[in-house]
Amino acid sequence: MHSKIIIETERLILRNFSYDDYDYLILMLKDKEVMYAYEHSFSDEECIKWLNKQINNYSKYGFGLLAVVLKENGKLIGQCGLTMQSISENDDVIEIVYIFNKDYWNNGYATESAIYCKKYAFDVLNSDKVYSIIRDNNISSQRVAIKNGMQKVGEIIKFYYNIYMKHYIYCTYKDS
């Protein structure tokens, strides 16, 4: 059983995740090459926590990461959507996040879905700005942010997986 469609683009359907998506989701989360910015591929436990978090975020915030499905064949190829992210101790922001199966890299799918997620944040959630917080070594994701009209506005250090990781903060405004 598949979940509610949230966004539709020319080539893609972005819909809520369901537990039926687990086997496809782990193809990305367990792939060390896909997850290089996280410094590790996910374990089974981390994968189910990730999926649970996305599904819980739909009711908690009214949004979350979405399953990205090709219209042409119904295949789940990635995830893109909105999440709440902390950029400082007292500043939570709406972030656009994207992770794709490496078989579908360099086809413009991340950019296409990120642009529509930005529109969703502005037009449906009435947000005045959105962010993407991207690891300094993740050049591809930085390019997607720039193509999505974002500019680098700062840096933060995140401590994750026992590593201090530099991240760039990208942002765009509704009226820009």
Side-chain angles (χ1 to χ4, degrees):
M1 176 177 132
H2 289 297
S3 298
K4 178 180 171 187
I5 293 173
I6 305 299
I7 297 170
E8 204 167 326
T9 76
E10 184 180 316
R11 302 182 294 167
L12 306 169
I13 292 171
L14 283 73
R15 61 168 174 75
N16 287 348
F17 274 108
S18 74
Y19 290 105
D20 293 339
D21 296 317
Y22 181 77
D23 290 339
Y24 300 99
L25 183 65
I26 64 173
L27 294 176
M28 289 170 273
L29 297 179
K30 287 187 163 194
D31 186 321
K32 189 172 182 155
E33 190 177 350
V34 170
M35 301 302 290
Y36 73 93
Y38 287 80
E39 292 293 334
H40 75 294
S41 57
F42 281 23
S43 67
D44 287 335
E45 182 180 338
E46 289 170 311
C47 289
I48 196 66
K49 277 178 145 176
W50 182 274
L51 183 56
N52 284 334
K53 180 180 179 182
Q54 305 324 312
I55 291 171
N56 290 334
N57 281 346
Y58 303 145
S59 57
K60 183 175 182 179
Y61 298 115
F63 57 84
L65 296 188
L66 304 169
V68 179
V69 177
L70 282 176
K71 279 185 175 179
E72 68 184 42
N73 60 17
K75 190 165 191 164
L76 194 155
I77 62 166
Q79 53 190 312
C80 184
L82 305 168
T83 189
M84 292 303 292
Q85 190 65 249
S86 188
I87 58 172
S88 68
E89 195 172 307
N90 298 314
D91 200 6
D92 288 342
V93 298
I94 295 176
E95 180 187 19
I96 299 171
V97 176
Y98 30 88
I99 302 171
F100 280 79
N101 182 311
K102 68 184 173 203
D103 294 340
Y104 298 92
W105 288 358
N106 300 311
N107 289 292
Y109 297 130
T111 301
E112 183 175 333
S113 56
I115 287 169
Y116 277 82
C117 285
K118 175 181 75 175
K119 289 178 185 177
Y120 185 88
F122 292 156
D123 298 344
V124 177
L125 301 178
N126 204 28
S127 179
D128 61 342
K129 59 187 168 183
V130 291
Y131 292 81
S132 283
I133 303 158
I134 303 168
R135 182 92 187 270
D136 65 340
N137 67 346
N138 192 340
I139 304 303
S140 296
S141 287
Q142 292 171 37
R143 286 187 187 127
V144 170
I146 292 165
K147 289 177 187 173
N148 199 10
M150 296 184 158
Q151 294 183 340
K152 189 166 32 166
V153 296
E155 298 178 3
I156 58 172
I157 303 295
K158 292 186 168 215
F159 186 73
Y160 177 73
Y161 209 63
N162 296 316
I163 302 169
Y164 289 98
M165 301 178 186
K166 182 194 243 181
H167 286 70
Y168 297 135
I169 301 170
Y170 286 82
C171 182
T172 191
Y173 294 85
K174 185 175 191 170
D175 296 327
S176 60

